[in-house]
Amino acid sequence: MELLKSVYEKVCKQNPHEGEFLQAVEEVLESLEVVAKYHPEWIENGIFERIVEPERQIMFRITWVDDQGKVQVNRGYRVQFNSAIGPYKGGLRFHPSVTLSVIKFLGFEQTFKNSLTGLPIGGGKGGSDFDPKNKSNHEIMRFCQNFMLELQRHIGENTDVPAGDIGVGGREIGYLYGMYKKIQNVNTGVLTGKGLEFGGSLGRKEATGYGLCYFMDEYLKDYQKTFKNMSVVISGSGNVAIYAAEKVTELGGKVVAMSDSQGVIYDINGVDLSLIKQLKEVERKRISEYKEKYPNAIYYENSKDIWKVKCDIALPCATQNELDLESAVTLISNGCFAVGEGANMPTTPEAVKYFIKNNILYAPGKAANAGGVATSALEMTQNSQRFSWSFEEVNQRLKEIMKNIYINVSKTAEEYNVPGNMVVGANVAGFIKVAKAMDAQGII
Ligand code: NDP
């Protein structure tokens, strides 16, 4: 990094303990060197310095009472990162690992991802260190209601529209929405990922996983390959992983391994996805229970062991930094030739560099997992129209959006003399639209 070195140094100085955020910023600024070279006016107008600083960071206390009558205190966050191209948009994450750094990295990435969708949405993210595991339904509901008691004053259908992420699915969005409506006395599309009965969009649940596969399908085709007969491993068994697995299977691939935060299931015959759905979506159990029905499947107790499973294509769909250099080396030595990120920043910087150096078809999450937020934006459109589209219509639009993102990203990589480098392609293409919008709106 040369031209943007001082920008990065300032971010490091101001946020010394925010590892995830610094990691995301460094990766993006490295890619943007080529842009800075051709746009000195953006350096002069402080675009780079502004884009790494969130417009607003909200932190708040959430107090609730558990089933034993004990008072519990958690910390809530909403980082409204960038509104240059539209209302802040990005999910809420409930997980004990949530910190300001995690939410900032996610909000930062979201800004570029949302720009890539071609839709008018800015970037934001939020959540809490609340752990939904082993909580009763009532505890989840009380937590969500208390979370919304504070969040409601900061969001709105034209201001900031949160959605789900890790630990926040349809159930949580329902409780959050109910409380928002009760306080504000309005029925608006202030959250996406809602139930179909109250303004949700068909196809939203499937969108991130399906979108990832549509993106990868385009990418593979460019290299005369498809998912057909490919062996695929997918980390995670949550919303993104399950629907990625569904689409991979539909496209002719075989998903041989999936995981959760405790371990990995490897089924050489191809995983039984309906059982995984039952265990994870309905019963909220551990993936290890898969072995009860399929005793021949192998269970590994370490989630990271999924990268030791031989495959052609790997789709990390669980969480950040889950795929490190050692795993990348193992994947490639076992014959893996393509990696598509369903999760946000699942691959460590060293592993990304290794993939690129070894000409692996590597699709960064900002581009490859943008289908979720794109469909959330379609949900917002339907809410404004007070109308619902069919599943086929939403799915068709999603497919087109993912194809356009692929074309935009790969063309941008060529234009900037790094053909095939999807990291630079995605960062630059996402950045340019936001930078132009910021520049046009003056120094604010
Ligand atoms: P879910 O909460 O539905 O699922 C997360 C899955 O990842 C679970 O199976 C969980 O296991 C597993 N997991 C969590 N932490 C770890 C870990 N440290 N090691 C291994 N597995 C782990 O979340 P989503 O599917 O919604 O999100 C997954 C990723 O995709 C995140 O990075 C998210 O930011 C990203 N994403 C999500 C979008 C969406 O629309 N939902 C959109 C774009 C990106 P367990 O069941 O044990 O908790």
Side-chain angles (χ1 to χ4, degrees):
M1 220 188 291
E2 278 173 42
L3 290 168
L4 301 177
K5 193 162 174 252
S6 63
V7 177
Y8 182 60
E9 281 171 354
K10 189 172 167 198
V11 181
C12 291
K13 205 169 158 201
Q14 285 187 323
N15 311 278
H17 306 298
E18 297 182 358
E20 296 85 358
F21 178 54
L22 294 177
Q23 181 182 334
V25 170
E26 184 177 19
E27 187 232 77
V28 169
L29 290 182
E30 269 176 4
S31 303
L32 296 183
E33 276 287 319
V34 284
V35 184
K37 204 164 81 185
Y38 295 111
H39 290 279
E41 77 282 9
W42 284 348
I43 298 184
E44 218 166 279
N45 290 345
I47 294 287
F48 298 97
E49 267 173 74
R50 281 191 270 158
I51 212 162
V52 295
E53 181 70 14
E55 290 175 15
R56 196 172 295 113
Q57 308 178 47
I58 302 150
M59 286 169 69
F60 50 96
R61 185 183 70 196
I62 306 133
T63 315
W64 58 284
V65 180
D66 69 18
D67 286 349
Q68 284 69 48
K70 191 166 179 280
V71 175
Q72 299 283 349
V73 180
N74 287 98
R75 187 171 290 175
Y77 304 87
R78 187 70 186 166
V79 172
Q80 299 180 328
F81 219 104
N82 193 300
S83 62
I85 63 175
Y88 309 107
K89 181 92 199 86
L92 298 171
R93 176 177 292 191
F94 292 168
H95 194 273
S97 65
V98 164
T99 58
L100 183 60
S101 168
V102 168
I103 299 298
K104 279 171 72 178
F105 114 67
L106 289 164
F108 180 67
E109 294 276 298
Q110 195 81 46
T111 302
F112 301 95
K113 180 190 307 191
N114 293 3
S115 162
L116 284 173
T117 65
L119 301 167
I121 38 178
K125 201 85 187 186
S128 171
D129 58 0
F130 171 74
D131 186 359
K133 282 215 179 74
N134 305 317
K135 300 285 190 303
S136 71
N137 234 331
H138 276 134
E139 287 177 322
I140 301 275
M141 182 171 69
R142 282 199 295 279
F143 176 79
C144 288
Q145 291 174 337
N146 283 291
F147 184 84
M148 188 49 91
L149 263 180
E150 173 64 29
L151 188 69
Q152 53 90 23
R153 70 190 85 236
H154 307 293
I155 60 176
E157 62 176 334
N158 296 313
T159 310
D160 183 354
V161 184
D165 191 77
I166 292 179
V168 179
R171 174 181 58 169
E172 291 74 18
I173 292 288
Y175 294 149
L176 290 162
Y177 185 75
M179 195 58 169
Y180 181 86
K181 187 162 63 65
K182 184 157 177 81
I183 301 169
Q184 297 275 347
N185 198 26
V186 284
N187 254 295
T188 59
V190 69
L191 294 169
T192 57
K194 297 184 291 297
L196 296 177
E197 305 79 9
F198 52 98
S201 173
L202 286 161
R204 173 61 187 92
K205 185 176 67 174
E206 295 84 354
T208 310
Y210 278 23
L212 167 66
C213 297
Y214 295 146
F215 185 97
M216 290 308 286
D217 199 36
E218 291 297 325
Y219 196 1
L220 293 172
K221 271 193 230 153
D222 248 0
Y223 291 81
Q224 289 74 49
K225 294 190 192 298
T226 67
F227 272 109
K228 209 162 174 43
N229 299 326
M230 294 295 165
S231 207
V232 182
V233 303
I234 303 182
S235 65
S237 47
N239 174 259
V240 180
I242 285 179
Y243 292 94
E246 188 166 282
K247 190 50 80 177
V248 164
T249 314
E250 210 180 297
L251 294 172
K254 182 161 84 169
V255 180
V256 293
M258 292 183 76
S259 61
D260 65 13
S261 56
Q262 316 235 297
V264 181
I265 274 293
Y266 171 36
D267 188 340
I268 197 158
N269 300 314
V271 298
D272 176 349
L273 194 58
S274 57
L275 176 58
I276 302 254
K277 278 187 182 177
Q278 178 65 25
L279 289 173
K280 300 301 289 185
E281 285 188 329
V282 183
E283 297 173 23
R284 299 178 191 271
K285 287 188 173 160
R286 312 311 316 159
I287 205 168
S288 55
E289 307 234 353
Y290 185 94
K291 252 182 97 70
E292 286 192 8
K293 186 161 175 204
Y294 293 98
N296 289 335
I298 300 169
Y299 179 68
Y300 300 111
E301 271 182 14
N302 183 347
S303 305
K304 273 203 171 162
D305 284 349
I306 192 161
W307 313 122
K308 293 184 181 158
V309 174
K310 188 173 158 48
C311 66
D312 302 303
I313 300 170
L315 303 178
C317 294
T319 193
Q320 65 268 11
N321 292 327
E322 54 168 316
L323 200 171
D324 58 14
L325 180 60
E326 193 189 340
S327 309
V329 172
T330 312
L331 274 173
I332 297 183
S333 66
N334 281 336
C336 173
F337 68 87
V339 177
E341 295 183 342
N344 285 311
M345 207 169 76
T347 314
T348 64
E350 301 75 31
V352 173
K353 288 192 176 116
Y354 190 75
F355 285 144
I356 292 174
K357 198 172 128 209
N358 284 279
N359 297 318
I360 296 302
L361 304 186
Y362 167 72
K366 278 195 193 81
N369 71 32
V373 73
T375 308
S376 274
L378 300 181
E379 184 174 327
M380 288 164 73
T381 307
Q382 294 169 76
N383 291 164
S384 306
Q385 292 181 333
R386 301 232 174 265
F387 193 69
S388 310
W389 302 336
S390 67
F391 180 86
E392 288 68 31
E393 179 160 5
V394 175
N395 192 36
Q396 191 50 39
R397 284 178 191 258
L398 170 65
K399 219 184 252 184
E400 273 163 32
I401 289 169
M402 297 315 294
K403 185 173 178 181
N404 288 337
I405 295 176
Y406 174 72
I407 293 170
N408 185 10
V409 168
S410 54
K411 272 201 175 148
T412 305
E414 268 172 39
E415 242 172 69
Y416 282 84
N417 294 323
V418 280
N421 187 327
M422 307 298 272
V423 175
V424 175
N427 287 337
V428 171
F431 169 79
I432 285 177
K433 183 176 170 189
V434 181
K436 283 184 178 168
M438 287 173 75
D439 215 15
Q441 290 168 29
I443 299 175
I444 46 170

